[in-house]
Coordinates of all heavy atoms in Angstrom, one line a residue:
M6 N 5.8 -6.8 -11.5 CA 4.9 -6.9 -10.4 C 4.1 -5.7 -10.2 O 2.9 -5.8 -9.9 CB 5.7 -7.3 -9.2 CG 6.2 -8.8 -9.2 SD 7.2 -9.2 -7.8 CE 6.0 -9.1 -6.5
A7 N 4.7 -4.5 -10.3 CA 3.9 -3.3 -10.1 C 2.8 -3.3 -11.1 O 1.7 -2.9 -10.8 CB 4.8 -2.1 -10.3
S8 N 3.1 -3.7 -12.4 CA 2.0 -3.7 -13.4 C 1.0 -4.7 -13.1 O -0.2 -4.4 -13.3 CB 2.7 -4.0 -14.8 OG 1.8 -4.1 -15.7
A9 N 1.4 -5.9 -12.7 CA 0.4 -7.0 -12.4 C -0.6 -6.5 -11.3 O -1.8 -6.9 -11.4 CB 1.1 -8.2 -11.9
N10 N -0.2 -5.7 -10.4 CA -1.1 -5.3 -9.3 C -2.1 -4.2 -9.8 O -3.0 -3.8 -9.1 CB -0.3 -4.7 -8.1 CG 0.2 -5.8 -7.3 OD1 -0.3 -6.9 -7.2 ND2 1.3 -5.5 -6.6
H11 N -1.9 -3.8 -11.1 CA -2.9 -2.9 -11.7 C -3.5 -3.5 -13.0 O -3.8 -2.8 -13.9 CB -2.2 -1.6 -12.0 CG -1.8 -0.8 -10.8 ND1 -2.5 0.3 -10.3 CD2 -0.9 -1.0 -9.8 CE1 -2.0 0.7 -9.2 NE2 -1.0 -0.1 -8.9
D12 N -3.6 -4.8 -13.0 CA -4.1 -5.5 -14.2 C -5.6 -5.4 -14.2 O -6.3 -5.9 -13.4 CB -3.7 -7.0 -14.1 CG -4.1 -7.8 -15.3 OD1 -4.9 -7.3 -16.1 OD2 -3.5 -8.9 -15.5
E13 N -6.1 -4.7 -15.3 CA -7.6 -4.5 -15.3 C -8.3 -5.8 -15.6 O -9.6 -5.8 -15.4 CB -7.9 -3.4 -16.4 CG -7.5 -3.7 -17.8 CD -6.0 -3.3 -18.0 OE1 -5.3 -2.8 -17.1 OE2 -5.5 -3.5 -19.1
D14 N -7.6 -6.9 -16.0 CA -8.3 -8.2 -16.2 C -8.5 -8.9 -14.8 O -9.3 -9.8 -14.7 CB -7.5 -9.1 -17.1 CG -7.6 -8.7 -18.6 OD1 -8.5 -7.9 -18.9 OD2 -6.7 -9.0 -19.3
V15 N -7.8 -8.4 -13.8 CA -7.9 -9.0 -12.5 C -8.6 -8.1 -11.5 O -9.4 -8.6 -10.7 CB -6.5 -9.3 -11.9 CG1 -6.5 -9.9 -10.5 CG2 -5.7 -10.3 -12.9
F16 N -8.4 -6.8 -11.6 CA -9.0 -5.9 -10.6 C -9.9 -5.0 -11.3 O -9.6 -4.4 -12.3 CB -7.9 -5.1 -9.9 CG -6.8 -5.9 -9.2 CD1 -5.6 -6.2 -9.8 CD2 -7.1 -6.4 -8.0 CE1 -4.7 -6.9 -9.2 CE2 -6.1 -7.2 -7.3 CZ -4.9 -7.5 -8.0
E17 N -11.1 -4.8 -10.6 CA -12.0 -3.8 -11.1 C -11.5 -2.4 -10.7 O -11.1 -2.3 -9.6 CB -13.4 -4.1 -10.5 CG -14.5 -3.3 -11.1 CD -15.8 -3.6 -10.4 OE1 -16.1 -4.7 -9.9 OE2 -16.6 -2.6 -10.2
K18 N -11.5 -1.5 -11.6 CA -11.0 -0.1 -11.4 C -9.6 -0.3 -10.7 O -9.4 0.2 -9.5 CB -11.9 0.7 -10.5 CG -13.3 0.9 -11.2 CD -14.1 1.9 -10.3 CE -15.5 2.0 -11.0 NZ -16.5 2.6 -10.0
P19 N -8.6 -0.8 -11.3 CA -7.3 -1.1 -10.7 C -6.6 0.1 -10.1 O -5.7 -0.1 -9.2 CB -6.5 -1.8 -11.8 CG -7.1 -1.4 -13.1 CD -8.6 -1.2 -12.7
D20 N -6.8 1.3 -10.7 CA -6.1 2.5 -10.2 C -6.8 3.2 -9.1 O -6.3 4.2 -8.6 CB -5.8 3.4 -11.4 CG -4.9 2.8 -12.4 OD1 -4.0 2.0 -11.9 OD2 -5.0 3.0 -13.6
V21 N -7.9 2.6 -8.6 CA -8.6 3.2 -7.5 C -8.2 2.5 -6.2 O -8.2 1.3 -6.1 CB -10.1 3.1 -7.6 CG1 -10.9 3.6 -6.4 CG2 -10.6 3.9 -8.8
F22 N -7.7 3.3 -5.2 CA -7.3 2.7 -3.9 C -8.6 2.2 -3.2 O -9.5 3.0 -2.9 CB -6.6 3.7 -3.0 CG -6.2 3.2 -1.7 CD1 -5.3 2.2 -1.5 CD2 -6.9 3.7 -0.5 CE1 -4.9 1.7 -0.3 CE2 -6.6 3.2 0.7 CZ -5.6 2.2 0.8
N23 N -8.7 0.9 -3.0 CA -9.9 0.4 -2.4 C -9.4 -0.7 -1.4 O -9.1 -1.8 -1.7 CB -10.8 -0.3 -3.5 CG -12.0 -1.0 -2.9 OD1 -12.2 -0.9 -1.6 ND2 -12.8 -1.6 -3.7
I24 N -9.5 -0.3 -0.1 CA -9.0 -1.2 0.9 C -9.9 -2.4 1.2 O -9.6 -3.3 1.8 CB -8.8 -0.4 2.2 CG1 -7.8 -1.0 3.1 CG2 -10.1 0.0 2.9 CD1 -7.3 -0.1 4.2
H25 N -11.1 -2.3 0.6 CA -12.1 -3.4 0.8 C -12.2 -4.4 -0.2 O -13.1 -5.3 -0.2 CB -13.5 -2.7 1.0 CG -13.6 -1.8 2.1 ND1 -13.5 -2.2 3.4 CD2 -13.7 -0.4 2.2 CE1 -13.5 -1.1 4.2 NE2 -13.7 0.0 3.5
R26 N -11.2 -4.4 -1.2 CA -11.3 -5.5 -2.2 C -11.3 -6.9 -1.6 O -10.4 -7.2 -0.8 CB -10.0 -5.3 -3.1 CG -10.2 -4.3 -4.2 CD -9.3 -4.5 -5.4 NE -9.6 -3.5 -6.4 CZ -9.0 -2.3 -6.4 NH1 -8.0 -2.1 -5.6 NH2 -9.3 -1.4 -7.3
N27 N -12.2 -7.7 -2.1 CA -12.3 -9.0 -1.5 C -13.0 -9.9 -2.6 O -14.1 -9.7 -2.8 CB -13.1 -9.0 -0.2 CG -13.0 -10.4 0.5 OD1 -12.3 -11.3 0.1 ND2 -13.9 -10.5 1.4
P28 N -12.2 -10.9 -3.2 CA -10.8 -11.2 -2.9 C -9.9 -10.2 -3.5 O -10.3 -9.4 -4.3 CB -10.6 -12.6 -3.6 CG -11.6 -12.5 -4.7 CD -12.8 -11.8 -4.2
N29 N -8.6 -10.2 -3.0 CA -7.7 -9.2 -3.5 C -6.4 -10.0 -3.8 O -5.5 -10.1 -2.9 CB -7.4 -8.2 -2.4 CG -6.5 -7.1 -2.8 OD1 -6.0 -7.1 -4.0 ND2 -6.2 -6.1 -2.0
P30 N -6.3 -10.5 -5.0 CA -5.1 -11.4 -5.3 C -3.9 -10.6 -5.8 O -3.3 -10.8 -6.8 CB -5.7 -12.2 -6.5 CG -6.6 -11.3 -7.2 CD -7.2 -10.5 -6.1
H31 N -3.5 -9.6 -4.9 CA -2.3 -8.7 -5.3 C -1.0 -9.5 -5.1 O -1.0 -10.6 -4.5 CB -2.3 -7.5 -4.4 CG -2.0 -7.8 -3.0 ND1 -0.7 -8.0 -2.5 CD2 -2.8 -8.0 -1.9 CE1 -0.8 -8.2 -1.2 NE2 -2.0 -8.2 -0.8
L32 N 0.0 -9.0 -5.7 CA 1.3 -9.6 -5.7 C 2.3 -8.8 -4.8 O 3.5 -8.9 -5.0 CB 1.9 -9.8 -7.1 CG 1.0 -10.7 -8.0 CD1 1.6 -10.8 -9.4 CD2 0.9 -12.1 -7.4
G33 N 1.8 -8.0 -4.0 CA 2.6 -7.1 -3.2 C 3.6 -7.8 -2.3 O 4.7 -7.3 -1.9
L34 N 3.4 -9.0 -1.9 CA 4.3 -9.8 -1.1 C 4.8 -11.0 -1.9 O 5.3 -12.0 -1.3 CB 3.6 -10.3 0.2 CG 3.2 -9.1 1.1 CD1 2.2 -9.6 2.2 CD2 4.5 -8.6 1.8
G35 N 4.7 -10.9 -3.2 CA 5.2 -12.0 -4.1 C 4.2 -13.1 -4.3 O 3.0 -12.9 -4.0
S36 N 4.8 -14.2 -4.7 CA 3.9 -15.3 -5.1 C 4.7 -16.6 -5.1 O 5.9 -16.6 -5.4 CB 3.3 -15.1 -6.4 OG 2.7 -16.2 -7.0
G37 N 4.0 -17.7 -4.8 CA 4.7 -19.0 -5.0 C 5.8 -19.3 -4.1 O 5.8 -18.8 -2.9
I38 N 6.8 -20.0 -4.6 CA 7.9 -20.5 -3.8 C 8.7 -19.4 -3.1 O 9.3 -19.5 -2.0 CB 8.8 -21.5 -4.6 CG1 9.7 -22.2 -3.6 CG2 9.6 -20.7 -5.6 CD1 10.4 -23.4 -4.3
H39 N 8.7 -18.2 -3.8 CA 9.5 -17.1 -3.2 C 8.6 -16.0 -2.5 O 9.0 -14.9 -2.3 CB 10.3 -16.4 -4.3 CG 11.5 -17.2 -4.7 ND1 12.6 -17.5 -3.9 CD2 11.7 -17.9 -5.9 CE1 13.4 -18.3 -4.5 NE2 12.9 -18.6 -5.7
Y40 N 7.4 -16.5 -2.1 CA 6.5 -15.6 -1.3 C 7.2 -15.0 -0.1 O 8.0 -15.7 0.5 CB 5.3 -16.4 -0.9 CG 4.2 -15.5 -0.3 CD1 3.4 -14.6 -1.1 CD2 4.0 -15.4 1.1 CE1 2.5 -13.8 -0.6 CE2 3.0 -14.6 1.6 CZ 2.3 -13.8 0.8 OH 1.3 -13.0 1.3
C41 N 7.0 -13.8 0.2 CA 7.8 -13.0 1.2 C 7.8 -13.8 2.5 O 6.7 -14.1 3.1 CB 7.1 -11.7 1.4 SG 7.9 -10.7 2.8
M42 N 9.0 -14.1 3.0 CA 9.1 -14.8 4.3 C 8.7 -14.0 5.5 O 8.5 -14.5 6.6 CB 10.5 -15.3 4.5 CG 10.8 -16.5 3.6 SD 12.5 -17.1 3.7 CE 12.4 -17.9 5.3
G43 N 8.8 -12.6 5.3 CA 8.4 -11.7 6.4 C 7.0 -11.2 6.3 O 6.7 -10.3 7.0
S44 N 6.2 -11.9 5.5 CA 4.8 -11.3 5.3 C 4.0 -11.2 6.6 O 3.3 -10.2 6.8 CB 4.1 -12.2 4.3 OG 3.8 -13.5 4.8
Q45 N 4.1 -12.1 7.5 CA 3.3 -12.0 8.7 C 3.8 -10.9 9.6 O 3.0 -10.1 10.2 CB 3.3 -13.3 9.5 CG 2.7 -14.5 8.8 CD 1.3 -14.2 8.4 OE1 0.5 -13.7 9.1 NE2 0.9 -14.6 7.1
L46 N 5.1 -10.7 9.7 CA 5.7 -9.6 10.4 C 5.3 -8.3 9.8 O 4.9 -7.3 10.4 CB 7.2 -9.7 10.5 CG 8.0 -8.6 11.2 CD1 7.5 -8.5 12.7 CD2 9.5 -8.9 11.2
A47 N 5.4 -8.2 8.4 CA 5.1 -7.0 7.7 C 3.7 -6.6 7.9 O 3.3 -5.4 8.1 CB 5.4 -7.2 6.2
R48 N 2.8 -7.6 7.9 CA 1.3 -7.3 8.0 C 1.1 -6.8 9.5 O 0.3 -5.9 9.7 CB 0.5 -8.6 7.8 CG 0.4 -9.0 6.3 CD -0.5 -10.2 6.2 NE -0.3 -10.8 4.9 CZ -1.0 -10.4 3.8 NH1 -1.9 -9.5 3.9 NH2 -0.9 -11.0 2.6
M49 N 1.7 -7.5 10.5 CA 1.5 -7.1 11.9 C 2.0 -5.6 12.1 O 1.4 -4.8 12.7 CB 2.2 -8.0 12.8 CG 1.9 -7.8 14.3 SD 2.7 -8.9 15.4 CE 4.4 -8.3 15.3
E50 N 3.3 -5.4 11.6 CA 3.8 -4.0 11.7 C 3.0 -3.0 11.1 O 2.7 -1.9 11.6 CB 5.2 -4.0 11.2 CG 6.3 -4.7 12.0 CD 7.7 -4.6 11.4 OE1 7.8 -4.4 10.2 OE2 8.6 -4.9 12.2
S51 N 2.5 -3.3 9.9 CA 1.6 -2.3 9.2 C 0.4 -2.0 9.9 O -0.1 -0.9 10.1 CB 1.2 -2.9 7.8 OG 2.4 -3.2 7.0
R52 N -0.3 -3.1 10.5 CA -1.5 -3.0 11.2 C -1.3 -2.1 12.4 O -2.0 -1.1 12.7 CB -2.0 -4.3 11.6 CG -3.4 -4.3 12.2 CD -4.1 -5.7 12.2 NE -3.2 -6.7 12.8 CZ -2.7 -7.8 12.1 NH1 -3.0 -7.9 10.8 NH2 -2.0 -8.7 12.7
I53 N -0.2 -2.3 13.2 CA 0.1 -1.6 14.4 C 0.4 -0.1 14.0 O -0.1 0.8 14.7 CB 1.3 -2.2 15.2 CG1 0.9 -3.5 15.8 CG2 1.8 -1.2 16.3 CD1 2.1 -4.4 16.3
A54 N 1.2 0.1 13.0 CA 1.6 1.5 12.6 C 0.4 2.3 12.2 O 0.2 3.4 12.6 CB 2.6 1.4 11.5
L55 N -0.5 1.7 11.3 CA -1.7 2.4 10.8 C -2.7 2.6 12.0 O -3.3 3.7 12.1 CB -2.3 1.6 9.7 CG -1.5 1.7 8.4 CD1 -2.1 0.7 7.4 CD2 -1.4 3.1 7.8
Q56 N -2.8 1.6 12.9 CA -3.8 1.8 14.0 C -3.3 2.9 14.9 O -4.1 3.7 15.4 CB -3.9 0.4 14.7 CG -5.0 0.4 15.7 CD -6.4 0.6 15.0 OE1 -6.8 -0.2 14.2 NE2 -7.0 1.7 15.3
T57 N -2.0 2.9 15.2 CA -1.4 4.0 16.1 C -1.6 5.4 15.4 O -2.0 6.3 16.1 CB 0.1 3.7 16.3 OG1 0.2 2.4 16.8 CG2 0.7 4.7 17.3
L58 N -1.3 5.5 14.1 CA -1.5 6.7 13.4 C -3.0 7.2 13.5 O -3.3 8.3 13.8 CB -1.1 6.6 12.0 CG -1.2 7.8 11.1 CD1 -0.2 8.9 11.6 CD2 -0.9 7.5 9.7
L59 N -3.9 6.3 13.3 CA -5.3 6.6 13.3 C -5.8 6.9 14.7 O -6.6 7.8 14.9 CB -6.2 5.4 12.7 CG -6.2 5.3 11.2 CD1 -6.7 3.9 10.8 CD2 -7.1 6.4 10.6
D60 N -5.3 6.2 15.7 CA -5.7 6.5 17.1 C -5.2 7.9 17.5 O -6.0 8.7 18.1 CB -5.1 5.5 18.1 CG -5.7 4.2 18.0 OD1 -6.8 4.1 17.4 OD2 -5.2 3.2 18.5
R61 N -4.0 8.3 17.1 CA -3.4 9.6 17.5 C -4.0 10.7 16.7 O -4.2 11.8 17.2 CB -1.9 9.6 17.4 CG -1.3 8.8 18.5 CD 0.2 9.0 18.6 NE 0.8 7.9 19.4 CZ 2.0 7.6 19.4 NH1 2.9 8.4 18.7 NH2 2.5 6.6 20.1
Y62 N -4.1 10.5 15.4 CA -4.5 11.6 14.5 C -5.7 11.1 13.6 O -5.5 10.9 12.4 CB -3.3 12.0 13.6 CG -2.1 12.4 14.4 CD1 -1.0 11.5 14.5 CD2 -2.0 13.6 15.0 CE1 0.1 11.8 15.2 CE2 -0.9 13.9 15.7 CZ 0.2 13.0 15.8 OH 1.3 13.4 16.5
P63 N -6.9 11.0 14.2 CA -8.0 10.4 13.4 C -8.4 11.3 12.2 O -9.0 10.8 11.3 CB -9.1 10.4 14.5 CG -8.7 11.2 15.6 CD -7.2 11.3 15.6
A64 N -8.0 12.6 12.2 CA -8.4 13.5 11.1 C -7.3 13.7 10.1 O -7.3 14.6 9.4 CB -8.9 14.8 11.7
Y65 N -6.2 12.9 10.2 CA -5.1 13.1 9.3 C -5.5 13.0 7.9 O -6.4 12.3 7.5 CB -3.9 12.2 9.6 CG -3.9 10.9 8.9 CD1 -3.2 10.8 7.7 CD2 -4.5 9.8 9.4 CE1 -3.2 9.6 7.0 CE2 -4.5 8.6 8.8 CZ -3.8 8.5 7.6 OH -3.8 7.3 6.9
R66 N -4.9 13.8 7.0 CA -5.3 13.8 5.6 C -4.1 14.2 4.8 O -3.1 14.7 5.3 CB -6.4 14.8 5.3 CG -6.0 16.3 5.6 CD -7.2 17.2 5.8 NE -6.9 18.6 5.8 CZ -6.4 19.2 6.9 NH1 -6.2 18.5 8.0 NH2 -6.1 20.4 6.9
R67 N -4.2 13.9 3.5 CA -3.1 14.1 2.6 C -2.9 15.6 2.4 O -3.9 16.4 2.3 CB -3.4 13.5 1.2 CG -2.2 13.4 0.3 CD -2.7 12.9 -1.1 NE -2.3 13.8 -2.1 CZ -2.8 13.9 -3.3 NH1 -3.7 13.1 -3.6 NH2 -2.4 14.8 -4.1
D68 N -1.7 16.1 2.3 CA -1.3 17.5 2.0 C -1.4 17.6 0.5 O -0.5 17.3 -0.3 CB 0.1 17.8 2.5 CG 0.4 19.3 2.2 OD1 -0.4 20.0 1.5 OD2 1.4 19.7 2.7
R69 N -2.6 18.2 0.0 CA -2.8 18.3 -1.5 C -2.0 19.4 -2.1 O -2.1 19.5 -3.3 CB -4.3 18.4 -1.7 CG -5.0 17.1 -1.4 CD -6.5 17.1 -1.8 NE -7.1 15.9 -1.4 CZ -7.1 14.8 -2.2 NH1 -6.6 14.8 -3.4 NH2 -7.7 13.7 -1.8
S70 N -1.3 20.2 -1.3 CA -0.5 21.2 -1.9 C 0.8 20.6 -2.6 O 1.5 21.3 -3.3 CB -0.1 22.3 -0.9 OG 0.8 21.7 0.0
V71 N 1.1 19.4 -2.2 CA 2.3 18.8 -2.8 C 2.0 17.8 -3.9 O 1.1 17.0 -3.8 CB 3.1 18.0 -1.6 CG1 4.3 17.3 -2.2 CG2 3.4 18.8 -0.5
E72 N 2.7 18.0 -5.0 CA 2.5 17.2 -6.2 C 3.0 15.8 -5.9 O 4.2 15.6 -5.4 CB 3.2 17.8 -7.4 CG 2.9 17.2 -8.7 CD 1.7 17.8 -9.4 OE1 1.2 18.9 -8.9 OE2 1.1 17.2 -10.3
L73 N 2.3 14.7 -6.3 CA 2.7 13.4 -6.0 C 3.7 12.9 -7.1 O 3.5 13.2 -8.3 CB 1.6 12.4 -5.9 CG 0.6 12.6 -4.8 CD1 -0.5 11.6 -4.8 CD2 1.3 12.6 -3.4
A74 N 4.8 12.3 -6.7 CA 5.7 11.7 -7.7 C 6.0 10.3 -7.4 O 6.1 9.8 -6.3 CB 7.0 12.5 -7.6
R75 N 6.0 9.5 -8.5 CA 6.2 8.0 -8.3 C 7.6 7.7 -8.2 O 8.5 8.3 -8.8 CB 5.6 7.3 -9.5 CG 4.1 7.2 -9.5 CD 3.6 6.2 -10.5 NE 4.3 4.9 -10.5 CZ 4.3 4.1 -11.5 NH1 3.5 4.3 -12.6 NH2 4.9 2.9 -11.4
M76 N 7.9 6.6 -7.4 CA 9.2 6.1 -7.3 C 9.6 5.4 -8.6 O 8.7 4.8 -9.3 CB 9.3 5.0 -6.2 CG 10.2 5.3 -5.0 SD 9.8 4.2 -3.7 CE 10.4 2.7 -4.3
D77 N 10.9 5.5 -9.0 CA 11.3 4.8 -10.2 C 11.6 3.4 -10.0 O 12.7 3.0 -9.6 CB 12.6 5.6 -10.8 CG 12.9 5.1 -12.1 OD1 12.1 4.5 -12.8 OD2 14.1 5.3 -12.5
S78 N 10.6 2.5 -10.0 CA 10.7 1.1 -9.7 C 9.8 0.2 -10.5 O 8.7 0.6 -10.7 CB 10.4 0.9 -8.2 OG 10.3 -0.4 -7.9
T79 N 10.4 -0.9 -11.0 CA 9.5 -1.8 -11.7 C 8.9 -2.8 -10.7 O 8.0 -3.6 -11.1 CB 10.4 -2.7 -12.7 OG1 11.5 -3.2 -12.0 CG2 10.8 -1.8 -13.9
M80 N 9.4 -2.8 -9.5 CA 9.0 -3.8 -8.5 C 7.7 -3.3 -7.7 O 6.8 -4.0 -7.4 CB 10.1 -4.0 -7.5 CG 9.9 -5.0 -6.4 SD 10.2 -6.6 -7.1 CE 10.0 -7.6 -5.6
M81 N 7.7 -2.0 -7.5 CA 6.7 -1.4 -6.7 C 6.0 -0.2 -7.3 O 6.7 0.6 -8.0 CB 7.2 -0.9 -5.3 CG 7.5 -2.0 -4.3 SD 7.9 -1.3 -2.8 CE 9.4 -2.1 -2.4
F82 N 4.7 -0.1 -7.2 CA 4.0 1.1 -7.6 C 3.9 2.0 -6.4 O 2.9 1.9 -5.7 CB 2.6 0.6 -8.1 CG 1.9 1.6 -8.9 CD1 2.0 1.6 -10.3 CD2 1.1 2.6 -8.3 CE1 1.3 2.5 -11.1 CE2 0.4 3.5 -9.1 CZ 0.5 3.5 -10.4
A83 N 5.0 2.7 -6.2 CA 5.0 3.5 -4.9 C 5.3 5.0 -5.2 O 5.8 5.3 -6.3 CB 6.1 2.9 -4.1
L84 N 5.1 5.8 -4.2 CA 5.3 7.2 -4.2 C 6.6 7.5 -3.6 O 7.1 6.8 -2.7 CB 4.2 7.9 -3.5 CG 2.8 7.7 -4.0 CD1 1.8 8.4 -3.0 CD2 2.6 8.3 -5.4
K85 N 7.3 8.6 -4.1 CA 8.5 9.0 -3.5 C 8.2 9.6 -2.1 O 9.0 9.4 -1.1 CB 9.2 10.2 -4.3 CG 9.9 9.7 -5.5 CD 10.6 10.8 -6.2 CE 11.4 10.2 -7.4 NZ 11.7 11.2 -8.4
E86 N 7.1 10.2 -1.9 CA 6.7 10.7 -0.6 C 5.2 10.9 -0.6 O 4.6 11.1 -1.6 CB 7.5 12.0 -0.2 CG 7.2 13.1 -1.2 CD 7.9 14.5 -0.8 OE1 8.5 14.5 0.3 OE2 7.7 15.4 -1.5
L87 N 4.7 10.9 0.6 CA 3.2 11.2 0.8 C 3.0 12.1 2.0 O 2.8 11.6 3.1 CB 2.5 9.8 1.0 CG 0.9 10.0 1.1 CD1 0.3 10.6 -0.2 CD2 0.3 8.6 1.3
P88 N 3.2 13.4 1.8 CA 3.1 14.3 2.9 C 1.6 14.3 3.4 O 0.7 14.3 2.7 CB 3.4 15.7 2.3 CG 4.1 15.4 1.0 CD 3.5 14.1 0.5
I89 N 1.5 14.3 4.8 CA 0.2 14.3 5.4 C 0.1 15.4 6.4 O 1.1 15.9 7.0 CB -0.2 13.0 6.1 CG1 0.9 12.6 7.1 CG2 -0.4 11.9 5.1 CD1 0.5 11.4 7.9
I90 N -1.1 15.9 6.6 CA -1.3 16.9 7.6 C -2.0 16.2 8.8 O -3.0 15.5 8.7 CB -2.3 18.0 7.1 CG1 -1.6 18.7 5.9 CG2 -2.7 19.0 8.1 CD1 -2.5 19.6 5.0
L91 N -1.4 16.4 10.0 CA -1.9 15.6 11.1 C -3.0 16.2 11.8 O -3.9 15.5 12.4 CB -0.7 15.4 12.1 CG 0.5 14.6 11.6 CD1 1.6 14.5 12.6 CD2 0.0 13.2 11.2
K92 N -3.1 17.6 11.8 CA -4.3 18.2 12.5 C -5.1 19.1 11.6 O -4.6 19.5 10.6 CB -3.7 19.1 13.7 CG -3.2 18.1 14.7 CD -2.9 18.9 16.0 CE -2.4 17.9 17.1 NZ -2.1 18.4 18.3
Ligands
HEM121 C1 5.7 -4.2 3.6 C2 6.8 -5.0 3.8 C3 7.3 -6.0 2.8 C4 7.0 -6.1 1.5 C5 6.1 -5.2 0.6 C6 7.7 -7.3 1.0 C7 7.7 -7.8 -0.3 C8 8.3 -8.9 -0.8 C9 8.2 -9.5 -2.1 C10 7.4 -8.8 -3.2 C11 9.0 -10.6 -2.2 C12 9.1 -11.5 -3.4 C13 10.3 -11.2 -4.2 C14 10.5 -12.1 -5.4 O1 9.5 -12.6 -5.9 O2 11.6 -12.2 -5.8 C15 9.6 -10.7 -0.8 C16 10.4 -11.8 -0.5 C17 11.0 -11.9 0.7 N1 10.8 -11.1 1.8 FE1 9.6 -9.5 1.9 N2 8.4 -7.8 2.0 C18 8.2 -7.1 3.1 C19 8.7 -7.3 4.4 C20 9.6 -8.3 4.8 C21 10.1 -8.5 6.1 C22 9.7 -7.7 7.3 C23 10.9 -9.6 6.0 C24 11.8 -10.2 7.1 C25 11.8 -9.9 8.3 C26 11.0 -10.0 4.6 C27 11.7 -11.1 4.1 C28 11.6 -11.6 2.8 C29 12.4 -12.7 2.4 C30 13.5 -13.5 3.2 C31 12.1 -12.9 1.0 C32 12.6 -13.9 0.1 C33 11.8 -15.2 0.0 C34 12.3 -16.1 -1.0 O3 12.9 -15.7 -2.0 O4 12.0 -17.3 -0.8 N3 10.1 -9.2 3.9 N4 9.1 -9.7 0.0

């Protein structure tokens, strides 16, 4: 699944983070009969968390002094940590 979300036959510039992709046929919440049952809750929680973070720290940015490391997972294309600077 992690690989499918970076399929260059499906996504233009698959390794570029682009929040405006539309359509965006990602498999982050699965697909078909086993599609994530908590998807609506997950989307709502994500929206609230990101909105709260942006409201409180509109200038937050990534701490580029820290080397990024990927999680060892075939399920998710995720980072072990993403340190940010709030001010
Ligand atoms: C960002 C948060 C979440 C992500 C990325 C996520 C991702 C996924 C993915 C990829 C699957 C499909 C697994 C597969 O194909 O075998 C799945 C299934 C599932 N998810 Fe989530 N999930 C999230 C949050 C939640 C929450 C909050 C709940 C419940 C409150 C939940 C409940 C479930 C359940 C019950 C299934 C199994 C559905 C089935 O097999 O029919 N998930 N999730």
Side-chain angles (χ1 to χ4, degrees):
M6 284 177 66
S8 173
N10 281 334
H11 289 257
D12 185 343
E13 58 279 358
D14 288 341
V15 176
F16 302 100
E17 194 184 320
K18 298 186 185 163
D20 293 325
V21 173
F22 177 69
N23 175 4
I24 203 167
H25 300 294
R26 278 205 177 89
N27 186 13
N29 184 0
H31 69 82
L32 300 175
L34 293 163
S36 166
I38 195 168
H39 289 291
Y40 188 73
C41 177
M42 285 179 73
S44 64
Q45 296 305 317
L46 179 60
R48 286 178 194 278
M49 187 180 72
E50 286 180 341
S51 305
R52 192 163 47 244
I53 292 169
L55 289 171
Q56 192 61 64
T57 303
L58 182 66
L59 280 166
D60 286 347
R61 284 193 199 164
Y62 306 103
Y65 88 91
R66 64 197 188 283
R67 194 186 122 198
D68 181 354
R69 291 185 181 271
S70 69
V71 180
E72 192 83 15
L73 295 180
R75 281 191 51 196
M76 243 167 68
D77 188 18
S78 167
T79 52
M80 185 80 173
M81 282 187 231
F82 195 92
L84 300 172
K85 283 188 177 156
E86 59 176 0
L87 182 61
I89 56 172
I90 297 168
L91 296 178
K92 290 193 178 176

